[in-house]
């Protein structure tokens, strides 16, 4: 029966080509625009570490002095001072804990004659790799005692390793970063979580991966260049070890909910302990955010993307309202045909089902057009210089979602016209013919 109704629908659309093409075009534009933005939003809002994110937490304490005016942000930005980060790191109260900061250094290729180039990377402590489940292609990370010894070791990303050593592993070789030689102890297999949740959340949180990882204490000892926000108060100056400057990120791994509760209590005790030493004068209110909650708090997804998503969904709604009008006109024009079928014994629900199938056929055709428009839209997004642009790719779930959205939207749009058409009194309609 459905096949018969589908064949009837195609035949009917051929008789009204102009209206059919117009409806397919309107649906295709609405679906294409909305699926472009939904796909981007879907990619950016994904879990950067599936299977591990539920155990990762970002602690937040507030070492700032009491607020002096209303212009000061009420919430801390989540960065730590050097003393607080080191105190919490050495307390070892979590299953794993790591401190980190971003940086950039000139890299001198081992081959003579090649010019040095700048690469961005991260200064971290030993637990970073195991805590974030970073995969190694060769070698491994360093030990915590090498952190304390300011060891001159480095882990390279696979991309930088290829640039320096070709297809061979650089483990055991020496790399000169700025003016210091570092021994390569590990090479990461392609690892680039998106967004780069462990870094400061800013416009660069999506995009290129960190190309190297150095011990944080070593980088501090050598005076390597850091990047990212660096906020001080009360004349904290530019000393990175000051307890008046926040700039470090701190993450912990807590394997159970009970451990997370206990760690929050530990942060509260630490806060009170610091107050006893004359620091952290604000009321103690430590917070512990899970990875996905942290991304939401930090507005990792750009606000302009949320606005564009809302606008695209609004455009889809306008398109479907127009399709409702076009379907209504199409179905009511066929009042005579519907009345004859009713007079021959067809029931209302059969008429309703036939018209519903016609709406689905139009929706499928519009969805196919919308899919092409969405691919074109995603391609145009990938030409933009934004860090997230290269992530704009449609996967299988979004491909299925495009047709599902087109079908659902067209069926909803066809409900009112089909209901109005199947309620046409056949006797009255036939008398007017």
């Amino acid at each position: 029966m459905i096949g018969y109704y589908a064949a009837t629908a195609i035949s009917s659309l051929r008789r009204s080509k102009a209206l059919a093409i117009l409806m397919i075009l309107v649906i295709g534009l609405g679906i294409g625009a909305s699926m472009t933005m939904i796909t981007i939003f879907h990619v950016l809002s994904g879990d950067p570490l599936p299977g591990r994110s539920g155990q990762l937490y970002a602690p937040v304490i507030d070492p700032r002095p009491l607020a002096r005016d209303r212009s000061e942000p009420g919430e801390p930005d989540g960065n730590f001072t050097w003393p607080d980060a080191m105190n919490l790191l050495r307390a070892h109260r979590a299953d794993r804990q790591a401190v980190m900061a971003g940086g950039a250094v000139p890299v001198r290729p081992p081959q003579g004659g090649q010019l040095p180039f700048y690469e961005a990377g991260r200064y971290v402590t030993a637990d970073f790799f195991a805590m974030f489940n970073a995969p190694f292609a060769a070698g491994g990370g360093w030990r915590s005692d090498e952190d304390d010894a300011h060891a001159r070791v480095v882990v390279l990303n696979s991309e930088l390793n290829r640039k320096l050593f070709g297809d061979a592993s650089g483990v055991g070789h020496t790399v000169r970063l700025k003016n210091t030689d570092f021994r390569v102890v590990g090479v990461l297999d392609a690892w680039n979580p998106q967004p780069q949740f462990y870094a400061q959340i800013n416009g660069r949180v999506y995009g290129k991966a960190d190309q190297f990882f150095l011990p944080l204490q070593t980088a501090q000892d050598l005076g390597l260049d850091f990047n990212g926000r660096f906020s001080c108060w009360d004349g904290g100056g530019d000393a990175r070890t000051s307890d008046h400057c926040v700039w470090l990120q701190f993450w912990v791994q807590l394997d159970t909910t009970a451990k997370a509760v206990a760690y929050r209590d530990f942060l509260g005790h630490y806060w009170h302990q610091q107050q006893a030493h004359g620091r952290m004068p604000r009321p103690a209110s430590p917070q512990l955010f899970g990875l996905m909650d942290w991304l939401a708090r930090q507005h990792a997804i750009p606000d302009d993307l949320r606005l564009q998503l809302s606008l695209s969904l609004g455009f889809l709604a306008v398109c479907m309202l127009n399709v409702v009008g076009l379907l209504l006109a199409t179905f009511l024009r066929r009042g005579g045909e519907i009345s004859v079928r009713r007079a021959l014994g067809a029931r209302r629900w059969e008429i309703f089902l036939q018209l519903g199938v016609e709406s689905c056929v139009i929706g499928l055709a519009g969805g196919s057009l919308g899919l092409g428009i969405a691919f074109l839209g995603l391609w145009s997004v990938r030409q933009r210089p934004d860090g997230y642009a290269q992530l704009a790719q449609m996967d299988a779930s979004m491909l299925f979602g495009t047709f599902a959205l087109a079908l659902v939207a067209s069926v909803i749009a066809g409900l009112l016209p089909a209901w109005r058409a199947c309620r046409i009194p056949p006797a009255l309609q036939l008398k007017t013919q």
Side-chain angles (χ1 to χ4, degrees):
M1 183 64 75
I2 297 297
Y4 169 73
Y5 285 155
T8 304
I10 293 172
S11 175
S12 173
L13 293 176
R14 282 176 178 167
R15 291 199 302 271
S16 308
K17 287 182 181 176
L19 275 176
I21 292 173
L22 186 57
M23 285 188 285
I24 292 170
L25 185 62
V26 171
I27 293 176
L29 287 173
I31 294 294
S34 57
M35 286 309 298
T36 299
M37 295 312 305
I38 290 174
T39 299
I40 295 173
F41 199 81
H42 167 72
V43 171
L44 298 190
S45 60
D47 187 342
L49 279 187
R52 179 53 70 93
S53 58
Q55 302 166 350
L56 299 177
Y57 294 86
V60 175
I61 57 176
D62 193 352
R64 298 175 300 171
L66 295 172
R68 295 167 183 164
D69 56 62
R70 294 183 178 179
S71 63
E72 184 176 340
E75 295 291 329
D77 62 4
N79 291 328
F80 282 73
T81 66
W82 179 275
D84 289 327
M86 291 298 126
N87 288 339
L88 296 177
L89 180 73
R90 289 163 182 154
H92 295 291
R93 299 298 291 267
D95 293 299
R96 289 191 177 99
Q97 45 267 304
V99 187
M100 61 214 73
V105 295
V107 181
R108 297 181 183 278
Q111 300 85 359
Q114 293 190 16
L115 296 176
F117 52 89
Y118 262 89
E119 287 290 2
R122 201 139 307 266
Y123 310 130
V124 305
T125 52
D127 276 357
F128 177 92
F129 305 103
M131 185 166 71
F132 294 147
N133 205 22
F136 278 89
W142 56 84
R143 303 184 307 274
S144 57
D145 61 318
E146 291 178 294
D147 274 334
D148 298 332
H150 298 189
R152 297 184 179 184
V153 293
V154 63
V155 169
L156 301 179
N157 190 302
S158 56
E159 182 180 344
L160 180 57
N161 181 80
R162 272 195 303 275
K163 193 180 293 186
L164 296 176
F165 304 105
D167 294 333
S169 167
V171 173
H173 292 268
T174 298
V175 173
R176 193 164 184 78
L177 304 177
K178 202 172 183 181
N179 297 316
T180 305
D181 289 334
F182 289 84
R183 178 170 54 88
V184 180
V185 295
V187 177
L188 287 181
D189 201 359
W191 187 65
N192 187 19
Q194 297 290 320
Q196 220 169 56
F197 63 92
Y198 53 78
Q200 288 181 350
I201 305 297
N202 53 33
R204 299 178 59 187
V205 73
Y206 294 97
K208 193 175 180 182
D210 287 320
Q211 294 300 303
F212 64 85
F213 299 87
L214 294 176
L216 176 66
Q217 288 93 327
T218 304
Q220 173 71 5
D221 185 41
L222 294 174
L224 299 182
D225 296 328
F226 290 84
N227 57 29
R229 291 191 302 274
F230 184 78
S231 304
C232 298
W233 60 89
D234 288 346
D238 58 357
R240 292 194 174 269
T241 55
S242 168
D243 64 354
H244 288 64
C245 298
V246 291
W247 58 286
L248 291 164
Q249 295 78 61
F250 184 70
W251 281 83
V252 296
Q253 177 184 332
L254 301 163
D255 293 338
T256 64
T257 304
K259 288 182 178 179
V261 173
Y263 197 84
R264 189 180 290 108
D265 293 340
F266 162 68
L267 288 175
H269 293 314
Y270 176 79
W271 196 317
H272 289 301
Q273 186 184 47
Q274 293 301 309
Q275 287 178 332
H277 289 83
R279 294 186 63 230
M280 300 173 64
R282 300 194 180 203
S285 57
Q287 300 176 77
L288 197 61
F289 292 92
L291 192 158
M292 299 307 291
D293 291 336
W294 176 251
L295 293 178
R297 181 184 190 266
Q298 295 291 304
H299 301 286
I301 298 178
D303 290 338
D304 61 334
L305 276 184
R306 295 180 185 275
L307 176 62
Q308 291 174 31
L309 175 64
S310 302
L311 292 175
S312 69
L313 292 177
F315 178 66
L316 175 62
V318 171
C319 288
M320 298 319 296
L321 282 176
N322 281 281
V323 171
V324 170
L326 292 170
L327 281 174
L328 191 60
T330 302
F331 292 165
L332 292 182
R333 280 179 54 188
R334 293 162 54 194
E337 171 194 335
I338 294 171
S339 297
V340 169
R341 287 203 59 205
R342 289 288 312 283
L344 293 174
R347 287 166 289 189
R348 279 182 178 173
W349 69 266
E350 291 174 325
I351 300 295
F352 188 85
L353 180 60
Q354 177 189 346
L355 299 180
V357 170
E358 287 193 27
S359 300
C360 289
V361 171
I362 294 171
L364 281 175
S368 300
L369 177 62
L371 185 63
I373 294 175
F375 274 118
L376 184 62
L378 293 173
W379 174 83
S380 68
V381 170
R382 289 196 293 274
Q383 310 312 308
R384 296 177 56 175
D386 302 299
Y388 63 80
Q390 296 307 314
L391 301 175
Q393 305 277 353
M394 184 173 285
D395 56 21
S397 63
M398 298 311 296
L399 188 66
F400 174 77
T402 300
F403 285 103
L405 179 61
L407 270 179
V408 171
S410 58
V411 166
I412 292 175
L415 286 178
L416 176 63
W419 180 77
R420 287 288 305 275
C422 70
R423 289 182 63 83
I424 295 175
L428 181 62
Q429 181 68 30
L430 290 174
K431 283 181 182 178
T432 60
Q433 297 296 312

